[in-house]
Amino acid sequence: MERLRDLAVRLAMDEPVGDDLAMAAAHALARGVDSPSLRELAGLSKGQSREAVDLFRQAMEELGSPVPDESGARLHLMRAAAASIVAGEGDPEDLAHEIYWQSSHFSSPELREVGYRFLYLYADCGAAPDQTVQAVAAMKHAARSFLHDHPA
């Protein structure tokens, strides 16, 4: 289901996903995820991108995980980056920058403030090694707070 959610986020961000949807549907069916539209989507060929997108949207609705709007997709990407920071996966500088970048597209002062906080922590990572350790620890704390305040 995670692969389907990732494709839903990419679709919401206007990234081309049409050719990937039928194969993702087939893989989801093989793992036990099922819906009528998902079965139909799995049977499409690569040349049917427009139809695939429509069926994918319908399948995600049937599965109870609709394709988000752009803001929902950006918030999802922020949460995913924060979860990676907490888990110690990936480069904390890159992840902090991702949170900042996604937050910069919101008009909400609260989410922009979150982004500025991670931008500040990102800037601290380029400092001396002892400051980098402190910055990463602060990032983990900020990421936990963000995830607590903005649950999925």
Side-chain angles (χ1 to χ4, degrees), residues 36-49:
S37 296
L38 194 65
R39 280 184 249 132
E40 191 175 343
L41 175 58
L44 293 182
S45 63
K46 277 195 174 212
Q48 298 174 291
S49 292

Side-chain angles (χ1 to χ4, degrees), residues 9-44:
V9 167
R10 287 181 50 205
L11 180 62
M13 301 293 289
D14 287 329
E15 292 181 22
V17 296
D19 288 342
D20 298 334
L21 298 177
M23 186 58 73
H27 285 297
L29 287 167
R31 287 188 307 276
V33 178
D34 193 10
S35 84
S37 296
L38 194 65
R39 280 184 249 132
E40 191 175 343
L41 175 58
L44 293 182

Side-chain angles (χ1 to χ4, degrees), residues 30-98:
R31 287 188 307 276
V33 178
D34 193 10
S35 84
S37 296
L38 194 65
R39 280 184 249 132
E40 191 175 343
L41 175 58
L44 293 182
S45 63
K46 277 195 174 212
Q48 298 174 291
S49 292
R50 181 68 240 158
E51 190 175 343
V53 169
D54 293 341
L55 278 171
F56 178 74
R57 287 182 181 280
Q58 190 173 340
M60 293 304 286
E61 287 283 339
E62 291 167 358
L63 294 169
S65 187
V67 173
D69 61 10
E70 183 180 347
S71 293
R74 288 189 186 284
L75 191 56
H76 172 84
L77 292 170
M78 290 172 69
R79 281 194 301 261
S84 291
I85 289 171
V86 170
E89 300 169 349
D91 183 330
E93 289 178 77
D94 290 344
L95 295 166
H97 187 267
E98 175 70 10

Side-chain angles (χ1 to χ4, degrees), residues 131-152:
Q131 290 176 317
T132 299
V133 170
Q134 292 172 353
V136 171
M139 264 188 227
K140 284 186 177 189
H141 177 73
R144 278 189 208 94
S145 293
F146 173 71
L147 290 170
H148 178 268
D149 295 344
H150 299 88

